[in-house]
Amino acid sequence: MTALRCFEVCFVLLLKVSAGFGDLRRPENVSVDSLNTRYVLRWDWPHETAANQTVTFTAQYIAKHNLQKQLWRPVCDDVLEHFCDFTKAKLFYHNLFVLRVRANTSQQSSSWVQIEFCPEKHAALGPPSSVKLNAVKEDLEVTITDPLSSNNQSMKTLLDNNLSYLIQYWRRSEGPQTAKDLPTQNNVAMLIDLDRQTWYCVRVQSRYRRFIINKNSVFSDTQCECTKGDMPYWQIILYILVSLLLLCLLLALWYFCFYKVFTVLKDTFRPAIQLPDHIQELWLNDSEKPQLLSPECPESVCEPLVMVNAVLDEVEAMDEQSVNAEEQDSSAHSRTGSSDSGVYSTEEDSCHRSTTHTDLQMSSKKHRAQLHDGTLMELCV
């Protein structure tokens, strides 16, 4: 009778268990999203349920060394979201825990899905909370603030002072630059051997080294600062020379433009063609201004001008020389002539001389008239 009673009880328990865990699927892709001391358990549940059934989720944790005691502590109970924030549970950073989650409906629950989680090993390390740069002459002072926990506590206290930093700095320019590394465990570091009056950019990475644990954070935001310090003499001289060169080029360009404009204006309002000098002298003398046009005649009239005596005298001298040459030739011809034709030769020579002299005078007069007419034509405009 006792054995039969025990069999009935076991059968009822099996039915309950099968009713509770048989049909409902459990969550999938369970993981912990963590940074410093912020821990969020996330999961997926892409399954379908019967109509009018709402699926909720329950999440719990326990220290692994207490797993046999089954002292589970709930963090999220019947929540609709697919995540549970374990930050408020304040898990000890160096301890190992077991986290679990399951799906629930009004009639049944799924089986548990559990994972192990150690914050020291699995939680990501954050970058410094802030990085500040201060120019000290030609050096840069880097001030680093430790990454903070969920309660704004320095992570260095949780990591047993095993927190260090890697500083990367480079000269800011348009082209790619090779960064220099400076590891340090201090919160204040000095960047030396930098160029004066130059921009440098800095970023910092957090590092944690302990036993087999090796964690690196992402780099902080890039900060840039310009160094100070006196400018070297060679650079000052170079700047002065470049400034003078640019000034000279500017002055030359200004002078060239001014000369071009002045030349155009001068050619426009004062042409290069000028009157002869003797006419300009007469024009400048108010008492002897020439009158090229007669006030009585409406048309253009050419006034006869007196020829320069030097030209006429030169022509007369040439005529006299020609006459003398002819006379000498005639005399020589008469002396070498025949003796029996003396009277005839004399008469012929005299006639020839008179004819030649007359022709020369006519030629001289004609030449004078041509010069006189040409001068008048040149002076008439």
Side-chain angles (χ1 to χ4, degrees), residues 59-106:
Q60 300 175 349
Y61 79 95
I62 190 175
K64 191 172 182 178
H65 62 275
N66 294 328
L67 188 59
Q68 295 180 354
K69 298 179 181 179
Q70 295 295 312
L71 298 177
W72 293 92
R73 297 183 179 181
V75 178
C76 297
D77 191 11
D78 293 331
V79 294
L80 298 174
E81 297 83 3
H82 293 176
F83 66 89
C84 180
D85 190 358
F86 277 74
T87 303
K88 56 186 178 181
K90 298 181 179 180
L91 305 180
F92 185 61
Y93 195 77
H94 300 281
N95 203 355
L96 180 61
F97 299 90
V98 177
L99 312 181
R100 68 179 185 179
V101 60
R102 73 177 181 184
N104 305 313
T105 61
S106 59

Side-chain angles (χ1 to χ4, degrees), residues 12-208:
V12 172
L13 291 175
L14 289 173
L15 289 177
K16 290 183 179 181
V17 170
S18 62
F21 300 102
D23 297 331
L24 192 60
R25 302 288 186 90
R26 63 181 189 174
E28 298 178 358
N29 301 326
V30 180
S31 62
V32 179
D33 185 7
S34 59
L35 179 65
N36 294 337
T37 60
R38 296 173 178 85
Y39 321 119
V40 179
L41 183 67
R42 299 182 182 276
W43 59 87
D44 295 331
W45 200 82
H47 310 293
E48 296 181 357
T49 58
N52 299 326
Q53 287 188 345
T54 302
V55 179
T56 59
F57 302 94
T58 301
Q60 300 175 349
Y61 79 95
I62 190 175
K64 191 172 182 178
H65 62 275
N66 294 328
L67 188 59
Q68 295 180 354
K69 298 179 181 179
Q70 295 295 312
L71 298 177
W72 293 92
R73 297 183 179 181
V75 178
C76 297
D77 191 11
D78 293 331
V79 294
L80 298 174
E81 297 83 3
H82 293 176
F83 66 89
C84 180
D85 190 358
F86 277 74
T87 303
K88 56 186 178 181
K90 298 181 179 180
L91 305 180
F92 185 61
Y93 195 77
H94 300 281
N95 203 355
L96 180 61
F97 299 90
V98 177
L99 312 181
R100 68 179 185 179
V101 60
R102 73 177 181 184
N104 305 313
T105 61
S106 59
Q107 298 179 358
Q108 55 186 349
S109 299
S110 69
S111 59
W112 292 97
V113 179
Q114 60 185 27
I115 60 172
E116 293 184 355
F117 175 70
C118 177
E120 183 184 14
K121 182 178 180 181
H122 301 113
L125 181 62
S129 56
S130 69
V131 176
K132 295 182 180 179
L133 301 180
N134 184 27
V136 181
K137 293 185 178 180
E138 65 272 14
D139 300 331
L140 282 180
E141 183 183 63
V142 183
T143 304
I144 304 171
T145 303
D146 297 331
L148 302 177
S149 62
S150 57
N151 56 358
N152 293 328
Q153 182 182 1
S154 172
M155 289 296 297
K156 185 174 289 188
T157 58
L158 297 176
L159 300 177
D160 299 331
N161 294 324
N162 291 320
L163 183 65
S164 61
Y165 301 100
L166 176 65
I167 302 174
Q168 285 188 350
Y169 62 97
W170 62 93
R171 185 173 179 174
R172 189 176 72 176
S173 62
E174 296 181 357
Q177 295 289 328
T178 303
K180 297 181 180 180
D181 297 339
L182 177 63
T184 181
Q185 291 184 343
N186 301 322
N187 291 89
V188 178
M190 189 69 69
L191 304 180
I192 60 176
D193 297 333
L194 305 179
D195 296 333
R196 300 181 180 90
Q197 301 292 331
T198 306
W199 282 90
Y200 284 89
C201 296
V202 178
R203 64 178 185 177
V204 184
Q205 181 188 57
S206 302
R207 291 186 167 187
Y208 176 58

